[in-house]
DNA sequence: CGACATAGTGAAGGTGCATCATCATGACGG
DNA sequence: CCGTCATGATGATGCACCTTCACTATGTCG
């Protein structure tokens, strides 16, 4: 039971944070000439190193076809290049240009900067409480069957 | 100072929650034949009652032109109708059909259901801590100049 | 070698968003 | 009363993201 009203209030806070945060991050990315999707791709590339488009498609959870377009755009703006895969002639390795690598490193700095803005000076126990609270919420979501790759199978039967 | 690593971890949790949550909500909406934007419009209509498209555009923070399309879609699927404004012949009042009102009420139930899934059984003090933590983060975001209607003026000068 | 799987792309389409131009109507000062 | 300006909605275009289906080129395995 606990308090349903408080629960709805908490959900409201989470949703508000979602809106404000994603809005601000998008704006910050746009200032660097990046869209959300392209920045996401750059980020994955930054963490994985040169990758095939197939791998990127799975990382971003989008169709391989879509990756083609994103890579096209990033190639056009000089952030990445397509290199032949050394052993598989079907595949291409998406690789940073120098410029792209610089930008990607900047994304990481931006993330730290963001964390600093949000949490700097906040008491440690408060941050810990927040992380634990969010972890529990995430755990509940997963327990409820939100696996983040739930295919639209015949899973949903309720209602 | 406090701990930068913990801060980055906390940001990671927030971002993960954003992804998982919005993904799940989208799926839940799609199951009712609604896209995110159309559901958002329905939600505003539910909270405001019959509204002009202009008002909806401001509520959703999108261009009036875009509202025309969303309303078109909702009219086509029978969720809303366009009624003439009683006093201003330029304007139209977007109004629920019976079906639309039912669906909108369902959205509200869904939100409560969602809150229940996320928080039911969680100790009250934990929920409170979470809300307070999120409030502080939101306050910091705003203090940092994220006003949610920051026009791309000449505000950004840094970097 | 033949059957099948896999990497990437062309074609076509849906959705959400934007801007600019246009039309009809409202509001206000002279 | 009327001209001017503001405002509500929409037509026309265009971009970004995403999808599915079809197809080519290549890898893999019996």
């Amino acid at each position: 039971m606990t308090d349903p009203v408080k629960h709805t209030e908490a959900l409201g806070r989470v949703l508000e944070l979602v809106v404000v945060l994603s809005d601000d991050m998008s704006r910050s990315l746009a200032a660097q000439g990046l869209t959300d999707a392209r920045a996401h791709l750059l980020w994955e590339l930054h963490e994985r190193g040169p990758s095939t488009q197939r791998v990127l498609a799975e990382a971003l959870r989008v169709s391989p076809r879509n990756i083609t377009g994103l890579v096209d755009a990033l190639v056009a703006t000089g952030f990445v290049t397509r290199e032949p895969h050394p052993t598989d002639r079907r595949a291409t390795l998406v690789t940073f240009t120098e410029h792209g690598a610089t930008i990607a490193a900047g994304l990481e700095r931006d993330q730290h900067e963001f964390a600093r803005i949000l949490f700097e000076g906040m008491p440690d126990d408060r941050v810990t409480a927040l992380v634990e609270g969010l972890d529990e919420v995430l755990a509940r979501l997963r327990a409820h069957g939100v696996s983040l790759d739930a295919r639209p199978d015949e899973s949903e039967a309720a209602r």
Side-chain angles (χ1 to χ4, degrees), chain A:
Chain A
M1 295 300 113
T2 57
D3 184 357
V5 174
K6 178 164 291 199
H7 297 169
T8 300
E9 185 190 354
L11 179 58
R13 289 302 194 294
V14 172
L15 295 181
E16 186 175 358
L17 183 59
V18 168
V19 172
V20 175
L21 197 57
S22 57
D23 195 65
D24 191 45
M25 295 182 72
S26 290
R27 208 174 352 247
S28 156
L29 290 174
Q32 304 177 55
L34 285 173
T35 64
D36 289 9
R38 312 219 256 256
H40 192 177
L41 199 161
L42 242 49
W43 181 260
E44 289 296 332
L45 212 53
H46 178 62
E47 297 212 313
R48 294 162 185 271
S51 313
T52 66
Q53 299 189 181
R54 168 72 52 180
V55 166
L56 292 172
E58 283 159 13
L60 302 202
R61 298 171 183 281
V62 299
S63 72
R65 184 59 184 88
N66 194 18
I67 296 294
T68 299
L70 294 177
V71 172
D72 283 351
L74 289 170
V75 167
T77 49
F79 290 103
V80 303
T81 59
R82 269 189 253 248
E83 307 288 343
H85 190 287
T87 66
D88 188 339
R89 289 195 301 163
R90 295 169 302 177
T92 65
L93 277 182
V94 184
T95 322
F96 278 130
T97 60
E98 277 188 38
H99 182 213
T102 306
I103 293 290
L107 291 183
E108 183 154 11
R109 281 204 318 278
D110 287 353
Q111 187 181 325
H112 290 136
E113 163 78 2
F114 230 96
R116 200 179 59 70
I117 291 170
L118 293 188
F119 302 112
E120 182 169 67
M122 189 182 289
D124 261 1
D125 57 346
R126 177 153 227 165
V127 177
T128 303
L130 191 56
V131 170
E132 287 176 0
L134 292 174
D135 273 344
E136 182 162 352
V137 168
L138 278 166
R140 280 156 187 259
L141 265 177
R142 298 193 201 293
H144 180 247
V146 181
S147 58
L148 198 46
D149 33 40
R151 281 271 159 268
D153 296 326
E154 57 277 7
S155 47
E156 337 250 335
R159 183 156 303 272

